[in-house]
Amino acid sequence: MSRFQSYLNSASQILQQYNGNEPFASFLKKYFSANKKFGSKDRKQVSNLCYCFFRLGKAVMNVSLEEKILTALFLCSSHSNEILEALKPEWNEKTGLRIEEKCSMFNTQFSTLPAGRQVFNVFPWKEELSAGIDHEKLCESFLIQPDLFLRLRPGKETPVKQKLQDAGIQFETISNTCLVLPNSSKLDSILELDKEVIIQDYSSQRTGEFIQSAIENLPAGRQGRQSEISLWDCCAGSGGKSIMVYDLNPDIEITVSDMRESILANLKKRFEKAGVKKYQATVLDLNEKNIQHAIFNIQYSIMLADVPCTGSGTWSRTPEQLYFFNENPSAGRAGKIEIYASLQKQIIGNVIPHLKPGGFFLYITCSVFKKENEDQVEFIKSNFNLELVKMELFKGYDMKADTLFAALFKKSEK
């Protein structure tokens, strides 16, 4: 047996064992730790085969596991590949073709769809998409690994670029504060993460425009100057957006909450590196009803709700979630999108009453689904005394980035 066939066999075994209940990266790490026979190159090759398989999502379901893995490798490869050269040489010489041309090669074998359309089964929930999303481009984006984006912190722009140049790491400047690098770039020994730069997706960085708009348009205080600003990042995660808020205005009083204590522990470490000292952090489950907590005794100038969601806008980074997602309500039960939408409404209802008059509420998801995006905007407009200022769908598939949705609301000053 050739080593290339061995790679294919190993990938097949791993995929048969994995059930989607944990991040695939974590599963792989444990698998390779328990199977010491895999060297560094072996792990890289086998991992790539597995990730390519997941990138095909719901497409090409009527062939053997090994055949689907090789098909996925072909569709995800833009250059010749030694595994394909060994096992599918007739495909390897065509890796440079456009996606549509590649798919048309398999059309008669895999489906009766029009030529070049097989790939668009990768994401079969077209009817659930938010307005403005190009379904075909979205499907194609799952076949490509996204880039790595850095947000440059204030005053660190020049030294960071110099360090990257000295280390021979290629990068492209997207804006004054954003760089894009190959996803495989190793930065730990070159840059001071969280102190000099924040690893933050481009679309996530774009939400800073909404936050800046909110800061600039808060009502003036009695002296005609802007009064003290308070922000509640109510689903803070590891704090990337809160650090962005701090960089926009270091004087803002920041409150962060999350239901996961371990995540907030990580946030506190990041805040220490980032120099964020003026904040309070609270473990809080906003999915509950009738919450009684001291955090609610305060009214906030700005609320940021990056709510739990399907994460469908980030599936090109975690394609196993695309593969295992099942949105088929059965036996009268709600589907996953509806479940998340219900949780989002609960969070919205719990936090909005604590927004100051004249304050701003920023709703964010990393979802491509209408029920988590535009439908929630209509829910907020219909049930709360808030005016929609602006909303935008950041279509990351045009930038090898994530897709995010953001909507900014203002509460009446009366």
Side-chain angles (χ1 to χ4, degrees), residues 19 34 46 93 116 147 196 227 284 305 313 324 360 369-370 377-378:
N19 59 15
V46 172
E93 61 186 24
D147 283 330
E196 294 181 311
S227 57
L284 187 61
F324 281 99
F360 288 87
F369 293 125
K370 180 176 181 287
V377 169
E378 292 305 313

Side-chain angles (χ1 to χ4, degrees), residues 249-275:
N249 188 330
D251 294 325
I252 292 180
E253 290 190 349
I254 296 175
T255 297
V256 294
S257 63
D258 198 278
M259 64 183 295
R260 301 159 294 180
E261 188 171 358
S262 61
I263 291 292
L264 283 182
N266 184 38
L267 175 147
K268 291 176 182 178
K269 292 178 182 178
R270 294 188 72 192
F271 274 18
E272 183 176 359
K273 291 181 182 178

Side-chain angles (χ1 to χ4, degrees), residues 331-344:
R333 294 180 295 178
K336 285 187 178 181
I337 302 175
E338 285 81 2
I339 291 172
Y340 275 108
S342 177
L343 293 176
Q344 290 154 7

Side-chain angles (χ1 to χ4, degrees), residues 42 55 88 91 103 162 182 277 302 369 405 410:
D42 299 333
R55 289 190 180 284
K88 291 283 187 178
W91 292 1
C103 291
Q162 189 62 55
K277 299 177 181 178
I302 303 172
F369 293 125
F405 176 85
K410 184 175 182 179

